[in-house]
Structures are given as structure tokens and as C-alpha cells.
Amino acid sequence: MRNKLWTAVGVAVLMVLVFVAGWKMGQSPGAGAAPKAASVPIDARAIFVPESGQIDALRRGVPVDQEGHPPAIARVENADLKRVRAYPMQPPTIPHSIDGYQVDRNSNRCLLCHARANAATFQAPPVSVTHYMDRDDQFLATISPRRYFCNQCHVVQTDAPVLVTSQFRDIDSVLAQPATQAAAAPATARPATPAPAQPAAKE
Ligand code: HEC
Ligand code: HEC
């Protein structure tokens, strides 16, 4: 009986010692100051590295032997303002926040407002006919399975800076370029005379 008691006390003292040792060891290396000093802010934009001829969108200029801390996550814009589409068949960006909107096998929150039947109630633009077409262009009574997961194509609007500047021009700005330029470029493609005549006829 006595022996058992002493063994228990011995084990308890040993455990306390191991605990204190572990605690002290965990505290020792400068309380996490080391990684903080090495952290370099990462530029929000991708940078062009001339030597390699490539765009560095991952480390954005931070050398590989240093640790970078990324910019804060972009804020979702919830202003109900539609953004212009860059090209005709672009899925429009979502002008409202979608936090907590469940889209899974059993329910689709987006369709509560955007289904053709509910759009008037919620004053939401109904999904276009393409969303009811299957891959053989047949119209279905309900949303097509391939358009069911809205976030596959539609993204929320954020205040994130553009990573890479784009030189894309939409067709309106291409058509609006000065007539002299337009005539000079496609001289072989078609005669220059009908080109100015068309817009004039429209007006
Ligand atoms: C509570 C109703 C409601 C829900 C739920 C909802 N929306 Fe909307 N949505 C609207 C309204 C209203 C507009 C019109 C613009 C505005 O007022 O924000 C809109 C606009 C849009 C537009 C812009 C259309 C255009 O022509 O530019 C897209 C895209 C869109 N929503 C996608 C979604 C997606 C994807 C979901 C689900 C993740 C969703 N919405 C959930 C009400 C809703
Ligand atoms: C496969 C990609 C894809 C999916 C998935 C998808 N959309 Fe779209 N959506 C588009 C494209 C592309 C357009 C613009 C051209 C068009 O109307 O087809 C569009 C247009 C829209 C519009 C604007 C309609 C108009 O007349 O201006 C709304 C609203 C919309 N989608 C909502 C939704 C909702 C809600 C879902 C989920 C139920 C969804 N979309 C799923 C690609 C998609």
C-alpha cells in the first residue's frame, strides 16, 4: 500500500517537471520575433521581370530566400452597380454580396431571386434563356444542370487591383477608331469605299 502511494507521488512529480520543462522550452526562442522581421510586403500587382521576360504574379518581386506577407483580401463591393461587360457573352459580375448564399444539390439560393418565376417579386434580372438550354440547344422547363452552379461563371465585384493590365478593346472602340486608320489597315481585305458608307446610312 505504502509503495503504491510513493510510486503515484513520484509519477506526479515527474509529470510536473516534464510540463514545466516543456513550457520553458516553448517560450525561449524570442517569442516569434524572427519570422516577423523577415517578412516583406508583397506588392498587390504582378510585376514584370525583364531578365526572364515573364510576369511574376506569385512572389511579386520578393526574393525566394525571404518570406513575404500577402496584401489583405479584397473587399466585396455591395453597391448594386452593374459593371460594363468587356465583351458580349461575358458572364456579368455580381453587383451584390453573396455571403452565406447556399448553392448545393438540394437548394440554390440564387434562383430564389433570379429564376424567371421569382424575378419580378425580388426585382432581380432573370437569368437569360441560355441558362435554360441544354448542350443540344433544347430549352428546358427548369434551369439547365450545366448552369446550376452560378459561381462557376459569375464572380462578385471586389476592389482588388488588376494583376496584369489588359490591352483588350471591345468592338465599339474598334469601330470608333478614326477612318484614316481603319482604311489603312485592311486595304487588302475589302475595298475602302463601302466602309464609310455603312455608318452614314444608319444615321
Ligand atoms: C435576395 C435576392 C437575390 C439573391 C438571393 C441573389 N441575387 Fe443576384 N441580383 C439581385 C438583384 C435585385 C440584382 C439587380 C442589381 C442589384 O440590385 O444588386 C441582382 C443582380 C445580379 C447580377 C447582375 C446581372 C447583370 O445583368 O449585370 C448577377 C450576375 C447576379 N445577381 C448573380 C447572382 C448569383 C450568382 C447569386 C447567388 C450566389 C445571386 N445573384 C443571388 C437579387 C438577388
Ligand atoms: C456556364 C457559365 C454560367 C453559369 C453556370 C451561370 N451563368 Fe449566368 N450568365 C452566363 C453568361 C455567359 C451570361 C451572359 C450571356 C447570356 O445571357 O447568356 C450570363 C448572364 C446572366 C445574367 C444576366 C441576364 C441578362 O439578361 O442580362 C444573370 C442575372 C445570370 N447570368 C445569373 C445566373 C445565375 C443566378 C446562375 C445560377 C443559377 C447563373 N447565372 C449560372 C454564364 C453562366
Side-chain angles (χ1 to χ4, degrees):
M1 189 68 203
R2 258 195 111 95
N3 270 352
K4 272 189 183 168
L5 191 73
W6 281 117
T7 319
V9 169
V11 168
V13 168
L14 198 72
M15 282 167 79
V16 167
L17 281 177
V18 167
F19 174 76
V20 171
W23 188 29
K24 285 279 164 207
M25 274 168 76
Q27 268 189 332
S28 53
K36 212 176 175 187
S39 188
V40 181
I42 290 181
D43 191 358
R45 285 166 184 270
I47 63 161
F48 181 68
V49 187
E51 306 95 69
S52 66
Q54 286 181 339
I55 290 166
D56 179 8
L58 261 187
R59 299 198 59 86
R60 304 187 199 162
V62 177
V64 279
D65 60 343
Q66 286 168 40
E67 188 165 343
H69 60 85
I73 293 175
R75 228 169 22 89
V76 170
E77 286 181 350
N78 195 13
D80 289 346
L81 291 174
K82 290 182 184 178
R83 284 191 189 166
V84 183
R85 295 186 213 184
Y87 55 94
M89 287 302 276
Q90 182 199 327
T93 53
I94 307 171
H96 54 72
S97 80
I98 58 167
D99 295 349
Y101 285 180
Q102 192 176 345
V103 178
D104 61 20
R105 195 169 69 100
N106 301 316
S107 91
N108 186 319
R109 184 69 177 181
C110 315
L111 285 177
L112 172 74
C113 302
H114 286 285
R116 303 185 80 76
N118 306 342
T121 316
F122 292 97
Q123 290 295 297
V127 296
S128 56
V129 283
T130 53
H131 295 56
Y132 290 84
M133 284 155 73
D134 69 8
R135 64 178 176 181
D136 299 317
D137 285 356
Q138 296 297 307
F139 291 97
L140 310 173
T142 53
I143 200 94
S144 171
R146 61 187 191 147
R147 292 284 171 116
Y148 185 84
F149 293 104
C150 319
N151 306 113
Q152 230 174 293
C153 306
H154 296 277
V155 293
V156 285
Q157 301 174 355
T158 69
D159 63 356
V162 283
L163 284 180
V164 180
T165 48
S166 166
Q167 265 127 46
F168 177 83
R169 292 172 63 199
D170 81 346
I171 189 68
D172 291 339
S173 74
V174 173
L175 290 177
Q177 72 181 326
T180 48
Q181 270 185 356
T188 48
R190 62 178 178 165
T193 34
Q198 273 173 349
K202 254 187 165 180
E203 278 163 20

